[in-house]
Every structure is written in structure tokens, then in C-alpha cells.
Amino acid sequence: AADALGNFRESSGIIQLSDKSKLLSDKIAFFQLRREPLALQLNESNNNYEYYRMLLASNGVEVSTYDELLADPEIEQLLRAFKDKSRESALYEAIQNGSGQNQRQFVLESSISQTTKALLDRIMLLVAPKGLTTDTYLALNAIELAKATYERVLTEADIELLLSIEDTYAEELSQLPVLERRLLDLQRDVQVYETLRLRLMELLEEVKIAEAAIAGSVRVVDAAKVNSIPVSPNRMLIVAVAVLLGAAFGVLLALLVEMLDVTLKDEGVIKKLAGPNIPILGWIPLMNLDRTKPIPSLVVYNNPLSFEAERYKLIANNISFGTLRKTKRVFSVTSPGMGEGKT
């Protein structure tokens, strides 16, 4: 294509298109790009329209056909107004080429919006009027059918409008000299083939990557070896950690039990609780009584030299010395053992 374009330029002496030819070509391309996505949109609208129409028909709901809707005088009038305003707006947009909207375009867009709203309301009234069916499900499907009809009508109107504009510019382009039209065709071929070439190169790179992933040039540098010693579990480490944690837990548990223990263990604890002004006369240890004696509880009499007897004697002496003064004295005698009495 590039060689054909070069040969034509050499033989014809035309290096580039005139300003008018280039302008017409750009405008045709502009409207072609706008029209391409509308074809897919129209196909989707047609599918939705047929689906909801058949659904309602299968349930015995009669609705207006598409041709009957287009024959409605009010819809015809709204479509004519829509096409006229949309044509003017599209031409403004092509002239400005994305440089922004002027005041006239704002007015046109507002008018188009009002026209499309009126068109939707009219289609709703004809396709899904109130009281069409008492079934809520079928009523909702009738509304969806009206929306699909509205999208189909607008899309067809847009495509028809763009085609008419393209035909207008194509007719102007046909009035150009034959050599310029031939140059324009060759330039289009170059652009098309260049785009195709870039796309094919992208596909080729994707194929190369896929082939490399399937059969890559990979070689083994160093073979993997199985370790004879298991990495996990490390039993020695587990035992050591368990011993340390067990010891720490035992110490913490012992400290907790000691802190929660409020019993009186020895004479020092009693002195600490009673204070320095309250003396302790003495304490009697837990005794193993001699049951062979007539009165086992008389420890001092039965065994006067025993440790228990000495404790009794110490308490007796402390009581004797403590009552020498004439002041009143209060003695507290108590026992932690059950059944021994508390005083």
C-alpha cells in the first residue's frame, strides 16, 4: 500500500491532499467512529425488545407492534424534532472537534433532552399503559419492553442521522478531482494496513511468549538433594522450650497462690497484723496426745519436759507478768483447727 501510494504521487505529481479534501475526509472519519458503537447498541436493543415482547405475548398480554409505534403521529413528530436538533448538534461538534461547547450547543442539548423525555413518556403510554395487566411481574416486563423500544428507536434515529451526514460529505468528496480521490483512497489503505500490521505484531509477540512458556529453554544447573536430617520438627528445641515454659508457669502459679493465701502461717504474720502495741503471749503447737494416759489433754502433767509443756509454761508466765498492773487486760484465745473452739 505504501509503494502504491508512493508510485501514485510520483506519477501524478500530487504530494498531499488539498485542505478541503483533508477536511472532508476527517469529517467522514469522525462520523464513522461515532456510528460504529451504535451498531452493537442497536443489536442489544433489538434483542431486549424481542425478549420482552415474546414474554408478554406468551402470557396473553397484547402490546403495540414496533411499526405501529413508529406510525404514531406524536412519535413521528418527536423523532423529526430529535433528528433535526441532533444533526445540528453533531455538525457543531464536528466543526469544533472537541474544543468545547458554545452557547448554541447547550441550548440544543437541553432541547434534545426534553424531546427524548417526551418520546419516552409517549412510548411508555402506548406500550405499558396503566391497567394493561393486574400481574405485577408482567407490568414490570411491559415497562422494560417500553424502555427497550425507546432505546431501539433512538439508536436507529442516531444511525440514520449519522449515515445521512456521511452521505452528504461523501457527495461533496465525490465532486473532487479524480486524482485527489485516488490519493485519498490510497492514504486510507496505508492507514488501515499500518493499523493491521501493528495488531499482527502484537499477536506475534503474544504467540512467542506463549511458546516460550510451553517449551522454554530451561536447563538444570544444580540437582536438588534430599536432606537426610529433617528440618522440622526440632525435638530438642521443643523439649527445651517446654521445660522453660513449664518452669516459668510453675513459678508464676506458686507466686499467685502465695499472693491469694490470706491465712496466718506463723507468729511473725500475727505480729505484723496486730501491730507493735498488742503483744503475743504465745502459741500452742499441734500436739499428738498420749492416749494411754488417764487424761491425755493434760500435757504439762503427763510430760512436763516436752516442747508442748514448755509452750504452756511460757504462756502462763506471760499472763502472770502481764497482769501485775491494775489496768484491765483483754486476752484473745483462738485456734485454726475445727472443733477446738474460738474465744
Side-chain angles (χ1 to χ4, degrees), residues 5-243:
L5 178 61
N7 294 332
F8 176 79
R9 284 174 173 171
E10 290 180 1
S11 61
S12 63
I14 300 178
I15 304 301
Q16 62 182 5
L17 292 172
S18 63
D19 293 339
K20 182 178 181 180
S21 301
K22 188 175 184 305
L23 179 62
L24 292 174
S25 176
D26 292 341
K27 288 182 178 180
I28 292 175
F30 174 79
F31 289 108
Q32 284 179 344
L33 291 176
R34 288 191 55 178
R35 182 168 49 84
E36 287 179 359
L38 293 178
L40 297 177
Q41 185 176 342
L42 179 60
N43 185 36
E44 182 179 359
S45 300
N46 288 335
N47 292 335
N48 292 336
Y49 172 81
E50 293 297 333
Y51 170 76
Y52 289 111
R53 187 185 64 81
M54 293 178 62
L55 180 63
L56 292 173
S58 63
N59 287 275
V61 179
E62 296 293 336
V63 294
S64 301
T65 63
Y66 188 73
D67 293 334
E68 291 174 350
L69 290 174
L70 294 181
D72 181 71
E74 187 172 346
I75 290 181
E76 289 182 349
Q77 181 181 358
L78 290 172
L79 282 177
R80 281 195 300 269
F82 171 76
K83 291 178 182 179
D84 293 340
K85 296 169 185 177
S86 297
R87 181 184 183 89
E88 185 177 356
S89 177
L91 292 175
Y92 268 114
E93 186 177 354
I95 293 173
Q96 294 184 356
N97 196 17
S99 60
Q101 291 183 334
N102 55 24
Q103 185 176 2
R104 177 57 181 169
Q105 281 183 280
F106 280 114
V107 174
L108 288 173
E109 292 295 334
S110 177
S111 179
I112 291 172
S113 177
Q114 294 177 1
T115 304
T116 54
K117 184 179 183 304
L119 180 62
L120 177 60
D121 293 340
R122 181 60 180 173
I123 293 176
M124 282 286 187
L125 181 62
L126 295 177
V127 176
K130 293 182 179 180
L132 177 66
T133 176
T134 57
D135 192 329
T136 305
Y137 173 71
L138 295 179
L140 292 176
N141 285 322
I143 294 175
E144 293 298 328
L145 175 62
K147 293 179 180 179
T149 305
Y150 165 76
E151 293 176 358
R152 179 180 176 181
V153 169
L154 279 189
T155 306
E156 287 183 350
D158 284 333
I159 293 176
E160 182 180 351
L161 170 65
L162 295 175
L163 285 174
S164 65
I165 296 176
E166 290 177 30
D167 292 340
T168 301
Y169 286 122
E171 185 178 355
E172 291 185 28
L173 190 62
S174 64
Q175 304 299 325
L176 296 176
V178 177
L179 293 179
E180 285 195 13
R181 281 185 286 158
R182 177 58 180 164
L183 178 60
L184 178 61
D185 293 337
L186 292 174
Q187 287 182 343
R188 285 180 180 174
D189 291 341
V190 171
Q191 292 177 355
V192 171
Y193 290 135
E194 179 65 19
T195 304
L196 182 60
R197 183 184 68 86
L198 294 176
R199 179 55 182 162
L200 291 176
M201 290 180 63
E202 292 177 0
L203 294 176
L204 179 60
E205 292 298 326
E206 293 177 1
V207 171
K208 289 181 179 179
I209 294 174
E211 289 180 351
I214 296 174
S217 57
V218 180
R219 61 187 182 88
V220 178
V221 178
D222 191 7
K225 296 180 180 179
V226 180
N227 194 354
S228 59
I229 301 175
V231 178
S232 179
N234 191 338
R235 291 184 173 83
M236 294 298 296
L237 179 61
I238 293 175
V239 171
V241 172
V243 170

Side-chain angles (χ1 to χ4, degrees), residues 327-342:
T327 57
K328 295 181 179 181
R329 296 293 179 181
V330 178
F331 299 94
S332 175
V333 180
T334 185
S335 172
M338 296 179 61
E340 296 180 355
K342 306 291 186 292

